[in-house]
């Protein structure tokens, strides 16, 4: 067989694979058209501009097939990096950041400024009409200062009283502005800040904001794009990834100490989310090309899906 014949055969095989993928995706496209997905982007998923561009392409495809997309983003990785450069010491307890005044000022710059603008730029490059917001815009995230709490520090095993500083707890989510934008075909991109009635700004966990917005929008899915492939029984063993969990499974993992650090608040938020009406939640690796599309449009998926 000539080289040209071999290349032609390879091309036909590749075409068949692509067509098979389209066939597999079609039922999901039909099922989810007109549904709302809330997609949370982690700082690690957005720090590399090439990776962000790839994510924007995937979000654009979901948007183009008629899925209503609302993006929430944090920026913990970038905030930690800036704090290191500025010499501002950071304290993180059980995956939650203590936010002093200096850290809050940096969070405003990083969250509502750089990261939000980078995401908008990447989406515009894919012809998506996206609108950048923080939780303060349109009074989307109404919050109050978190009071000092006694917590069990899982790193030290000791109970301690913690003042989280300028960290807010959500009082209410106002989705009126988001609904207007989604109904008009826009894609909202929201950074993880909120404020109280006096306009005091708080740093709020992005997963928590995404969870509350997903509930209020009656979303079909909450998709958390992180830097891990999902939930593992053993973080050092790739084969221990769990592709599907129930809320009871997730609670047991947290209570038994089988998950640690940032995965603890993620699973706690998801359990509450599913009990309040969202159909499913997904934890996937936002640094892998096509992970989002594979999770939504294929039977196998790529991460961990949590259901009631």
């Amino acid at each position: 067989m000539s080289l040209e014949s071999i290349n032609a055969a390879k091309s036909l095989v590749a075409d068949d694979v692509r067509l098979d993928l389209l066939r597999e995706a079609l039922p999901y496209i039909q099922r989810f058209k007109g549904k709302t997905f809330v997609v949370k982007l982690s700082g690690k998923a957005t720090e590399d501009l090439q990776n962000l561009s790839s994510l924007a392409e995937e979000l654009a495809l979901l948007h183009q097939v008629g899925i209503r997309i609302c993006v929430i983003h944090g920026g913990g990785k970038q905030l930690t990096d800036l704090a290191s450069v500025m010499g501002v010491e950071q304290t993180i307890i059980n995956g939650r950041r203590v936010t002093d005044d200096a850290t809050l000022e940096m969070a405003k710059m990083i969250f509502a400024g750089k990261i939000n603008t980078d995401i908008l730029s990447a989406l515009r490059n894919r012809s998506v009409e996206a609108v950048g917001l923080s939780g303060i815009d349109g009074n989307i995230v109404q919050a109050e200062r978190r009071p000092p709490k006694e917590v069990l520090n899982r790193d030290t095993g000791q109970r301690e009283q913690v003042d989280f500083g300028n960290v807010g707890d959500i009082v209410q989510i106002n989705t009126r502005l988001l609904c207007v934008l989604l109904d008009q075909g826009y894609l909202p991109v929201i950074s993880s800040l909120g404020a109280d009635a006096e306009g005091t700004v708080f740093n709020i966990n992005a997963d928590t904001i995404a969870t509350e917005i997903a509930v209020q929008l009656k979303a079909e899915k909450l998709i958390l794009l992180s830097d891990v492939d999902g939930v593992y029984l053993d973080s050092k063993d790739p084969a221990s990834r769990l592709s599907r969990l129930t809320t009871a499974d997730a609670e047991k993992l947290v209570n038994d100490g089988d998950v640690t650090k940032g995965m603890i608040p993620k699973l706690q938020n998801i359990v509450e989310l599913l009990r309040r009406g969202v159909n499913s939640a997904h934890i996937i690796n936002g640094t892998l090309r096509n992970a989002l599309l594979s999770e939504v449009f294929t039977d196998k998926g790529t991460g961990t899906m949590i259901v009631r």
Side-chain angles (χ1 to χ4, degrees):
M1 182 180 290
S2 68
L3 180 60
E4 288 183 357
S5 298
I6 293 173
N7 288 336
K10 288 181 178 178
S11 178
L12 286 173
V13 170
D15 288 342
D16 282 344
V17 170
R18 283 191 287 267
L19 291 172
D20 284 342
L21 288 173
L22 285 173
R23 288 177 181 273
E24 185 177 2
L26 180 59
Y28 293 103
I29 293 173
Q30 293 171 327
R31 176 182 172 186
F32 296 135
K33 184 176 181 179
K35 302 290 187 180
T36 299
F37 287 6
V38 174
V39 181
K40 184 264 178 175
L41 308 182
S42 71
K44 290 183 180 178
T46 59
E47 67 173 334
D48 181 84
L49 292 182
Q50 185 174 355
N51 185 71
L52 178 56
S53 176
S54 178
L55 275 176
E57 189 173 29
E58 295 176 57
L59 290 168
L61 195 150
L62 296 179
H63 182 71
Q64 289 298 327
V65 300
I67 298 172
R68 292 154 57 99
I69 303 293
C70 183
V71 170
I72 318 296
H73 69 85
K77 174 66 165 58
Q78 290 92 324
L79 179 55
T80 298
D81 290 345
L82 178 60
S84 178
V85 171
M86 300 295 290
V88 178
E89 185 177 350
Q90 300 292 281
T91 301
I92 298 177
I93 299 174
N94 297 346
R96 304 290 194 182
R97 186 186 303 269
V98 175
T99 304
D100 60 16
D101 291 347
T103 299
L104 179 63
E105 292 305 307
M106 291 186 293
K108 292 177 187 177
M109 292 186 287
I110 290 292
F111 298 169
K114 182 184 186 320
I115 298 175
N116 199 273
T117 302
D118 286 346
I119 295 171
L120 294 176
S121 175
L123 288 168
R124 179 164 181 174
N125 182 251
R126 296 300 175 183
S127 301
V128 176
E129 293 184 318
V131 177
L133 304 164
S134 74
I136 305 165
D137 291 281
N139 201 22
I140 295 171
V141 180
Q142 302 171 41
E144 62 184 7
R145 184 182 300 275
R146 176 176 297 174
K149 291 185 177 182
E150 183 178 286
V151 300
L152 173 64
N153 190 323
R154 296 179 184 271
D155 292 329
T156 65
Q158 302 294 317
R159 300 197 70 85
E160 54 189 81
Q161 191 81 3
V162 178
D163 183 349
F164 284 93
N166 299 302
V167 169
D169 289 324
I170 296 173
V171 174
Q172 187 176 353
I173 295 291
N174 179 355
T175 60
R176 188 159 60 101
L177 175 58
L178 298 181
C179 289
V180 169
L181 293 171
L182 290 167
D183 289 345
Q184 294 301 315
Y186 292 100
L187 193 159
V189 179
I190 308 159
S191 64
S192 55
L193 299 171
D196 63 15
E198 285 71 44
T200 304
V201 177
F202 301 113
N203 178 20
I204 301 175
N205 180 271
D207 288 349
T208 304
I209 292 179
T211 297
E212 292 299 322
I213 287 177
V215 170
Q216 296 305 318
L217 288 176
K218 298 179 173 59
E220 174 73 19
K221 293 181 182 293
L222 169 65
I223 302 175
L224 303 176
L225 297 182
S226 185
D227 60 332
V228 295
D229 294 333
V231 180
Y232 290 87
L233 287 176
D234 181 354
S235 60
K236 297 179 181 178
D237 180 9
S240 70
R241 179 174 63 85
L242 302 170
S243 62
R244 187 181 177 93
L245 292 172
T246 65
T247 52
D249 296 330
E251 284 185 309
K252 189 173 187 304
L253 288 173
V254 172
N255 294 334
D256 292 351
D258 292 326
V259 292
T260 58
K261 298 184 179 179
M263 192 58 72
I264 295 170
K266 274 186 173 57
L267 289 181
Q268 290 172 332
N269 286 335
I270 285 171
V271 167
E272 181 66 18
L273 166 90
L274 297 177
R275 287 175 174 161
R276 294 167 65 193
V278 175
N279 286 335
S280 64
H282 304 252
I283 299 173
I284 64 176
N285 193 334
T287 65
L288 294 180
R289 181 175 172 81
N290 295 327
L292 177 57
L293 295 180
S294 178
E295 184 71 10
V296 173
F297 292 140
T298 69
D299 299 332
K300 185 178 180 181
T302 57
T304 298
M305 178 179 181
I306 302 100
V307 297
R308 279 193 296 273

